Amino acid sequence: MTSESDSPDDLSFGLGLEEPPQPQKAAAAAQPYRVLARKYRPQSFEELIGQDAMVQTLGNAIRRDRLAHAFLMTGVRGVGKTSTARLIAKALNCIGPDGQGGPTISPCNVCEPCRAIAEGRHIDVVEMDAASHTGVDDVREIIEAVRYAAVSARYKIYIIDEVHMLSKNAFNALLKTLEEPPAHVKFLFATTEVNKVPITVLSRCQRFDLRRIPAEKLAEHFADVSRQEGVEVEPEALALIARAAEGSARDGLSILDQAIAHGAGGVTADQVRTMLGLSDRGAIRGLLGLLLAGDARGALAALKSQYELGVEPSAVLRGLLESVHGITRAKVGGSDDRALSAEERDAYATWSGGLSYAAIHRLWQLLLKGLSEVNSAPMPLEAAEMALLRVIHAAEMPDPGALLERLANGEAVSLQGRAAAAAPPAPPEAQGAASEASAELARSPQAASEPPPWEEAPAPATAAAAAEPAGPPRAPASYKDLVEALALNGKPHLAQQLHDFCGVIRYAPPEIAIRPVKPMSGDLIRELGAALHKLTGETWQVSAEDGPAEPTLLEQEKMAAEQERQDVLDSPLIKAAFEAFPGAELTGYTLDEQRSA
């Protein structure tokens, strides 16, 4: 006889054998890992975030028994199109825990139809991927099957994902059935490119445009998922993931899944930046402060530092664009973005107070053009450096409207030092980043002696030039001399216009009146006044009038040339030559040549 202690189980324990695995434990150990995007797929309309308008419409339609026979869900990837289609299928076929329920906007997720639809095994809910079933034969199977009633559900439902991938013939084959389907059939379409769906199909469906999910709601959703997973994630890291998701819950959950695997028991903002190749927002604000201060060397050093940390130049420029956009929103008094840190909001408020709208818009356009060049350039880092230098030197230029006004008034305009004088004070953290970026270059022995390579060194002044006092320039003696002086002093195009198309009415420096012989640009008078002020140092009164004027200089030259030709033809020697050689022509002959002969 064997006692209870001598049972086979006890003997096995006594021999030191391991306990055989229990069936439930073995099944749990064998279950593969499910990614967060699948694990946290919404199972009810309450869990569907960011689509309140659609949920309200569907709820009212179900309560009032005004259900359409075809629904079309459209939107960007990851906003819940397929999930919404499955939720609608559950809402229409739910029978409740007691088996007596009807269509409801709040499916129970307990009854057999709800569980079968959630697990993708319900015989009356057919999902088809139009990307791999594009032909007429695939649609013909649906047309043949809709004639038969549902096997176990209230409605037979066909979910066609990426419906825009169906061929033209397949769409045409589906039209008649889609317009007048049997009462027990519902069609649910999902697509990311609704513009590719024929209008004949759109007109037969009730369309729902699923919106991008706001970053704030995504961050809250990701925080809830992190709590359920037992992972600590920094709020700033959640904000970064929500921004990178661009309104897509699936994309954000995939990034969060990767970030959890990347971290060691927790997820920090620095880990997310490293994983996504994002630039440190503090470093971006420091770089923007250097740009606004006109510190070219410091800006290049800051860009190089980010590049050495593995940040792509295009990511740096995108970060700068985001900062400029934040400054603009702060200037117009936009609502605070909760995804921004307190430091960012303070920095944007400080900069917005010192930058005009024109300066902000010009900065945006320059950075946007720079980003386009970086994305297409064979050398992205070099293209980014040139883009930043263009931003700095464009900032040194005065506003175009103010410049034209000053030139029209004959005022001298100096471009030196305007950027540094007009730049708003940088926030403390940006000033610290600027000093750190400049310190690296300051250690170089050439930093204090050599000018930057993009600036021209001033020409050395000669002793004679220093000794000779510079007197005020004198006005040209005649209109012809004035035109020649303009051509020699950097205004050849203006001189050509005055020479060919303008006759002088009155020339009494510092006053000139001209009469254009053809329509001219309205900027001619303004440009001439500015050029004359620069040439003579005086403010000229320039006007265009319709009174009698001398012929243009071009017309005078033509008349002089014709008179000279006539003088040559009237000379006795030329007349004798024509008489001796009938049919001869006069070419290349001048009056001076005749006299020398």
Side-chain angles (χ1 to χ4, degrees):
M1 295 181 60
T2 61
S3 63
E4 292 182 8
S5 61
D6 295 331
S7 63
D9 291 342
D10 292 336
L11 290 174
S12 64
F13 295 150
L15 294 174
L17 299 178
E18 295 181 357
E19 179 184 3
Q22 299 296 325
Q24 293 181 353
K25 294 181 179 180
Q31 184 176 4
Y33 173 73
R34 297 180 67 195
V35 296
L36 298 182
R38 294 185 58 192
K39 184 176 180 180
Y40 293 96
R41 185 186 289 270
Q43 299 300 319
S44 65
F45 284 103
E46 289 78 8
E47 297 177 7
L48 189 66
I49 60 175
Q51 312 300 339
D52 298 338
M54 181 196 67
V55 173
Q56 181 179 355
T57 302
L58 286 174
N60 293 337
I62 291 174
R63 282 190 292 270
R64 299 170 185 174
D65 195 20
R66 299 180 62 88
L67 290 170
H69 60 272
F71 298 90
L72 175 69
M73 273 69 67
T74 179
V76 299
R77 82 273 176 214
V79 293
K81 299 183 295 296
T82 306
S83 296
T84 300
R86 293 176 180 174
L87 291 176
I88 294 176
K90 288 199 294 185
L92 298 182
N93 286 325
C94 178
I95 59 176
D98 56 357
Q100 303 299 319
T104 174
I105 194 63
S106 301
C108 65
N109 291 321
V110 176
C111 64
E112 176 58 23
C114 284
R115 289 188 287 109
I117 293 172
E119 296 170 5
R121 56 179 176 83
H122 200 293
I123 191 173
D124 292 321
V125 178
V126 181
E127 291 193 32
M128 187 184 85
D129 177 22
S132 56
H133 301 79
T134 62
V136 178
D137 293 338
D138 302 301
V139 173
R140 187 178 291 117
E141 294 180 5
I142 297 177
I143 297 173
E144 294 294 332
V146 297
R147 296 183 298 175
Y148 304 101
V151 176
S152 61
R154 186 178 297 112
Y155 293 101
K156 180 179 284 189
I157 296 177
Y158 291 91
I159 300 176
I160 303 180
D161 201 5
E162 299 300 335
V163 69
H164 67 274
M165 299 294 289
L166 289 177
S167 65
K168 181 179 180 181
N169 292 334
F171 274 123
N172 292 335
L174 186 62
L175 285 180
K176 186 61 178 178
T177 303
L178 186 62
E179 183 175 9
E180 298 178 357
H184 61 274
V185 175
K186 302 291 182 184
F187 289 97
L188 305 178
F189 300 145
T191 178
T192 55
E193 300 184 46
V194 69
N195 58 301
K196 294 184 179 180
V197 179
I199 188 65
T200 51
V201 174
L202 294 177
S203 64
R204 289 166 168 82
C205 300
Q206 193 171 97
R207 173 175 168 177
F208 292 104
D209 290 87
L210 277 68
R211 302 176 179 178
R212 291 181 184 269
I213 306 173
E216 296 83 359
K217 290 189 176 182
L218 282 178
E220 295 174 359
H221 178 58
F222 299 156
D224 183 59
V225 170
S226 302
R227 284 192 295 269
Q228 295 183 51
E229 290 292 311
V231 179
E232 288 290 334
V233 184
E234 292 182 355
E236 187 177 356
L238 292 173
L240 290 174
I241 295 174
R243 284 177 176 272
E246 296 180 347
S248 170
R250 182 175 62 237
D251 288 7
L253 287 173
S254 299
I255 297 173
L256 178 61
D257 211 344
Q258 183 181 355
I260 293 174
H262 179 78
V267 179
T268 65
D270 291 337
Q271 290 173 343
V272 174
R273 290 192 189 96
T274 303
M275 183 185 72
L276 299 179
L278 299 176
S279 177
D280 183 7
R281 299 184 72 85
I284 288 295
R285 293 194 297 275
L287 176 57
L288 182 58
L290 293 169
L291 293 178
L292 294 177
D295 187 352
R297 290 192 171 191
L300 294 184
L303 175 63
K304 187 66 177 295
S305 175
Q306 289 293 295
Y307 184 76
E308 291 173 349
L309 291 175
V311 181
E312 291 296 326
S314 59
V316 174
L317 289 181
R318 281 196 297 269
L320 290 172
L321 283 168
E322 290 180 4
S323 297
V324 173
H325 179 257
I327 295 173
T328 309
R329 288 183 59 85
K331 191 169 185 65
V332 300
S335 58
D336 290 339
D337 188 353
R338 289 186 294 175
L340 297 178
S341 62
E343 293 80 4
E344 286 180 293
R345 289 194 291 268
D346 293 342
Y348 294 162
T350 302
W351 276 323
S352 64
L355 288 171
S356 65
Y357 283 109
I360 293 175
H361 296 327
R362 181 165 53 179
L363 186 60
W364 172 268
Q365 292 296 331
L366 290 170
L367 290 173
L368 194 63
K369 178 176 175 59
L371 178 61
S372 175
E373 293 175 354
V374 169
N375 288 333
S376 61
M379 299 181 294
L381 177 61
E382 288 76 1
E385 290 179 345
M386 297 303 295
L388 296 186
L389 292 178
R390 184 165 62 237
V391 169
I392 291 174
H393 292 300
E396 295 177 356
M397 299 174 60
D399 180 75
L403 179 61
L404 289 175
E405 183 177 355
R406 291 192 175 192
L407 291 176
N409 295 333
E411 299 179 16
V413 179
S414 174
L415 304 183
Q416 294 295 103
R418 291 182 60 90
E429 60 169 331
Q431 294 176 358
S435 60
E436 291 178 6
S438 300
E440 183 67 23
L441 287 171
R443 300 189 187 99
S444 172
Q446 300 176 353
S449 58
E450 295 183 1
W454 54 86
E455 294 183 4
E456 296 183 2
T462 61
E468 181 180 353
R474 294 183 298 174
S478 64
Y479 178 67
K480 182 179 180 181
D481 294 339
L482 181 143
V483 172
E484 293 177 353
L486 290 175
L488 295 174
N489 286 272
K491 295 293 182 180
H493 180 67
L494 177 60
Q496 189 70 33
Q497 288 182 302
L498 296 176
H499 178 276
D500 294 349
F501 308 117
C502 295
V504 63
I505 297 177
R506 184 171 59 259
Y507 182 75
E511 180 185 1
I512 181 174
I514 57 175
R515 181 175 66 85
V517 297
K518 59 174 290 188
M520 304 294 291
S521 170
D523 295 332
L524 176 66
I525 300 302
R526 184 185 306 159
E527 185 179 0
L528 178 57
L532 292 176
H533 176 77
K534 182 178 179 181
L535 181 66
T536 64
E538 296 182 277
T539 300
W540 285 60
Q541 293 182 1
V542 183
S543 61
E545 303 177 5
D546 293 330
E550 297 180 2
T552 66
L553 295 178
L554 179 60
E555 292 173 345
Q556 294 179 26
E557 292 173 358
K558 289 182 178 180
M559 289 188 293
E562 183 62 29
Q563 182 60 44
E564 182 178 359
R565 176 182 174 83
Q566 190 60 43
D567 291 343
V568 171
L569 292 174
D570 291 342
S571 66
L573 180 60
I574 299 302
K575 286 183 177 181
F578 275 116
E579 292 175 359
F581 301 97
E585 294 182 2
L586 179 64
T587 59
Y589 192 88
T590 65
L591 191 60
D592 293 337
E593 292 177 357
Q594 178 195 6
R595 290 170 180 168
S596 61

